[in-house]
Amino acid sequence: MERHDALFIGGGWAEPQGDDHITVVSASTEEVIGRVPEASEADVDAAVAAARGAFDDPGGWPDWEPARRADAMERLADALDRRKDRIARLVSAQNGMPVAIAEQLEGVFPSVVLRYYADLVRTAALEERRPGLMGGTTLVRRRPAGVVAAIVPWNYPQTLASFKIAPALAAGCTMVVKPSPETVLDAYALAEAVMEAELPPGVLNIVPGGREVGRYMITHPRIDKVAFTGSTAAGREIAETCGRLLRPVTLELGGKSAAIVLDDADLGATMENIFGATLLNNGQTCYLGTRVLAPRSRYAEVVEAFSAFAGSLQVGDALDAATQIGPMASARQRDRVESYIGKGRSEGARVTVGGGRPSGLDKGWFVEPTVFADVDNAFTIAQEEIFGPVLSVIPYGDVDEAVAIANDTDYGLGGSVWTSDHERGVQVACRVHTGTIGINGYLPDPTAPFGGVKASGIGRELGPEGLAAYQQNQSVYL
């Protein structure tokens, strides 16, 4: 069991000011695998004060030359690389992510994002002079937003933390990061990497905790900006709070994306990519295309192909390299997924594969990969985010109807189009009202803005746009 007794505040290990702890349980075995302190409001105060000092003190982090900050970020990337295998296994043990996926994403992607923003900030213009229309010139300055409260979810704890940490550090912000109570052990590996990289004390602080700790952080009077990834329900509450406080906020929220299979799609050639776009990380991924839209002319074929593929996936312990589908992150999440499977059945959808718990796995929060056929887009399972390995195959007549169904949702985060005609796929993709969409695959890239429309969020992460989210503009009229 991995046990920690301190919090990472002010560049080192700080004794917690409360007595509460977070007990970490393996999603695969239901065994206790860790214990860490749960931050109190007093601990949050200390972390914010440390971040505030690192930001406000003359000569502090925001006053460093961008190249010097970039050097520190690259040291942090190197330190994370040295811990990538440990981080991947910790994440898998906690949230059930198959370790083969964790090694590719949680172990590697954070350092890639850090290096991208380190390179970007070396060349990004922080000032520009614009000729005015009133007889003068304006100096436009891009300054760091300040102290950032970053709240990270459990499904991709290190990857989604890097979406916030990398651009914020590049911009010159300092941070208080709150990992989810389901995934706190990997946060200690991050803290060790920060210490090894010799980031100045207070630049990045970590306070594990639940919703109450998050609420306190968001409303803290010395916080300048909030960055949150999580559910739409929680995002609405945070948006209301930040709106009242006039506090900038970036929200990356839920999704119910469509995977549009066109009538010329070669399913056999693209099924491996379809897995990454529809079932990655046990279906616990916000952008997945869990609504599979199939032409009526090929509906039975598409249902059969997805059912056969889902049924062939290896379900098992997340730490087994052969596992393709691991457990849900918690018993509560498994209950949620199972309740939606029940709703699908009650509304008249037909289960073609899965629909229960896998045999032979008596421990762990497992759900079989499940495919529903005969789904109407108005069904609950087609409108609400399930966050599990459950796909709904919905028929359509022509492309116009497919686009209309894809857009008939409260969400707009991801999506995909599957076709043998690339240009046709692009044309269809551009008609879908969503923040991101892929052609014959889906994989976010650090260079491109990631985020949603409608109930899927506000603002963008990644790309130059992600850096701009942590900057404030100042105009100096000359």
Side-chain angles (χ1 to χ4, degrees):
M1 185 173 83
E2 184 161 330
R3 178 172 180 148
H4 299 278
D5 298 315
L7 300 171
F8 186 68
I9 296 174
W13 301 115
E15 183 177 350
Q17 299 184 49
D19 298 323
D20 294 335
H21 288 80
I22 296 170
T23 299
V24 184
V25 178
S26 164
S28 295
T29 67
E30 302 183 44
E31 296 174 352
V32 175
I33 58 174
R35 187 170 184 261
V36 307
E38 181 170 12
S40 65
E41 292 186 0
D43 295 315
V44 173
D45 289 341
V48 173
R52 190 82 258 169
F55 186 85
D56 291 338
D57 289 349
W61 182 253
D63 295 325
W64 283 22
E65 288 295 321
R68 187 181 176 193
R69 287 201 300 269
D71 289 343
M73 292 171 62
E74 288 175 346
R75 292 197 302 271
L76 178 56
D78 291 341
L80 286 174
D81 281 343
R82 285 187 279 274
R83 293 164 173 81
K84 63 182 181 180
D85 292 338
R86 178 185 165 208
I87 288 172
R89 293 188 68 82
L90 284 172
V91 171
S92 293
Q94 293 172 102
N95 72 1
M97 179 186 295
V99 71
I101 295 172
E103 288 171 350
Q104 298 174 45
L105 296 179
E106 292 294 279
V108 173
F109 208 67
S111 61
V112 172
V113 178
L114 280 163
R115 291 192 176 95
Y116 165 72
Y117 278 106
D119 288 342
L120 184 64
V121 79
R122 288 182 192 277
T123 58
L126 299 181
E127 293 185 354
E128 65 170 296
R129 291 175 181 260
R130 298 179 185 175
L133 300 178
M134 307 301 292
T137 301
T138 301
L139 173 66
V140 179
R141 305 173 68 237
R142 297 176 181 88
R143 297 290 299 159
V147 177
V148 177
I151 299 178
V152 182
W154 49 258
N155 59 331
Y156 292 90
Q158 288 300 306
T159 295
L160 294 176
S162 74
F163 283 20
K164 298 157 182 56
I165 292 170
L169 294 186
C173 297
T174 59
M175 309 187 76
V176 180
V177 178
K178 188 197 81 66
S180 170
E182 284 84 1
T183 46
V184 290
L185 299 181
D186 52 290
Y188 280 81
L190 170 61
E192 293 167 6
V194 171
M195 294 178 71
E196 181 184 323
E198 298 182 337
L199 266 63
V203 167
L204 197 158
N205 309 270
I206 301 174
V207 287
R211 292 182 179 180
E212 292 306 316
V213 172
R215 288 190 180 100
Y216 185 72
M217 282 177 57
I218 291 163
T219 60
H220 201 286
R222 305 189 78 189
I223 290 291
D224 298 307
K225 175 183 169 63
V226 173
F228 172 81
T229 300
S231 72
T232 295
R236 291 186 192 280
E237 180 181 337
I238 292 169
E240 290 175 2
T241 300
C242 290
R244 185 175 66 254
L245 296 173
L246 300 180
R247 182 164 294 168
V249 60
T250 300
L251 301 171
E252 195 270 283
L253 308 176
K256 194 67 183 179
S257 303
I260 304 175
V261 179
L262 296 183
D263 54 12
D264 63 350
D266 184 348
L267 294 178
T270 57
M271 194 54 76
E272 184 176 345
N273 289 344
I274 285 175
F275 172 77
T278 60
L279 288 168
L280 186 69
N281 191 19
N282 318 327
Q284 297 176 141
T285 305
C286 51
Y287 60 69
L288 292 180
T290 54
R291 292 184 299 145
V292 179
L293 310 191
R296 286 190 174 88
S297 61
R298 297 182 63 187
Y299 186 75
E301 175 194 350
V302 173
V303 169
E304 182 179 357
F306 273 86
S307 301
F309 180 70
S312 72
L313 296 173
Q314 181 68 41
V315 181
D317 190 309
L319 292 175
D320 185 338
T323 292
Q324 296 168 289
I325 297 289
M328 301 295 93
S330 65
R332 181 179 67 254
Q333 185 62 21
R334 181 179 63 181
D335 291 345
R336 171 187 172 88
V337 174
E338 289 180 333
S339 73
Y340 275 106
I341 292 174
K343 287 178 183 177
R345 285 188 165 115
S346 67
E347 289 181 325
R350 173 169 54 93
V351 173
T352 62
V353 68
R357 299 181 184 182
S359 60
L361 294 171
D362 298 328
K363 293 289 186 180
W365 301 304
F366 293 94
V367 177
E368 291 177 318
T370 300
V371 175
F372 278 102
D374 304 334
V375 180
D376 187 283
N377 196 55
F379 286 4
T380 302
I381 57 172
Q383 287 295 317
E384 297 184 11
E385 186 175 41
I386 298 174
F387 226 59
V390 181
L391 303 180
S392 298
V393 187
I394 302 169
Y396 70 84
D398 57 17
V399 170
D400 288 343
E401 185 182 7
V403 171
I405 293 172
N407 290 335
D408 184 16
T409 173
D410 291 337
Y411 298 99
L413 181 58
S416 55
V417 180
W418 304 87
T419 177
S420 296
D421 184 338
H422 178 80
E423 290 305 317
R424 182 186 182 208
V426 172
Q427 292 173 4
V428 173
C430 290
R431 297 174 61 190
V432 180
H433 192 201
T434 185
T436 64
I437 191 166
I439 310 298
N440 293 330
Y442 184 99
L443 183 65
D445 191 284
T447 66
F450 175 79
V453 298
K454 299 188 282 187
S456 289
I458 298 173
R460 292 294 182 268
E461 297 183 309
L462 300 181
E465 294 81 2
L467 178 64
Y470 292 91
Q471 295 173 320
Q472 290 182 336
N473 293 322
Q474 181 189 38
S475 293
V476 181
Y477 305 121
L478 307 176

